[in-house]
Amino acid sequence: MNYLQMKQIARKLLSTFGNIKKCKLYRKESDDSITEYKGVGVYLKYDSEAIGLNNNVIKAGDAKIICQFDIMPTETIDIIEMEGEKFSIINVGLLSPDNITKILYTLQVRKN
């Protein structure tokens, strides 16, 4: 199976989740410099049933961003920016059917 082709298809299918937007991922490096990565993603709100479940892991105001980047986002370290708003990354989910090709990331984010 061609997983790189699946990655391209997934990028096209992101538009079915919502309005696809350009986004940036900021990573603080060990020398305190900041590296910027460009990607695309869709911003979604959690439904009211998800908020408050699982020992308050998802809090009011949290959102979900389904995205693609060339690197895997890192929880509590990286910052993601979408349409001028910056978010801390609380949780990272990964879609990787072959455990090599990273197709999509699902991020739980919280406004800074």
Side-chain angles (χ1 to χ4, degrees):
M1 192 165 260
N2 185 344
Y3 293 112
L4 288 176
Q5 184 180 16
M6 286 179 72
K7 186 174 183 175
Q8 293 168 347
I9 292 168
R11 184 177 180 129
K12 292 177 186 176
L13 289 175
L14 274 175
S15 61
T16 64
F17 289 105
N19 193 3
I20 192 168
K21 303 285 182 187
K22 292 181 182 179
C23 49
K24 296 177 185 174
L25 185 73
Y26 300 102
R27 174 161 293 167
K28 188 173 182 179
E29 304 295 344
S30 58
D31 63 357
D32 287 339
S33 65
I34 304 291
T35 304
E36 179 183 305
Y37 299 91
K38 294 181 181 180
V40 294
V42 174
Y43 178 89
L44 304 167
K45 293 186 178 185
Y46 284 104
D47 61 22
S48 58
E49 292 179 13
I51 297 169
L53 296 178
N54 299 322
N55 296 322
N56 292 323
V57 172
I58 299 172
K59 298 184 184 252
D62 284 3
K64 184 186 304 185
I65 296 178
I66 301 172
C67 57
Q68 281 187 330
F69 284 100
D70 290 336
I71 63 160
M72 184 168 178
T74 305
E75 298 167 1
T76 70
I77 295 173
D78 295 341
I79 301 292
I80 189 167
E81 180 179 3
M82 183 175 266
E83 295 195 314
E85 289 192 74
K86 291 185 178 179
F87 303 91
S88 298
I89 300 171
I90 306 303
N91 192 7
V92 177
L94 168 65
L95 175 60
S96 178
D98 63 355
N99 290 324
I100 298 169
T101 308
K102 295 166 178 67
I103 295 178
L104 287 174
Y105 302 103
T106 302
L107 309 179
Q108 176 189 351
V109 298
R110 191 168 289 155
K111 285 186 183 180
N112 283 344

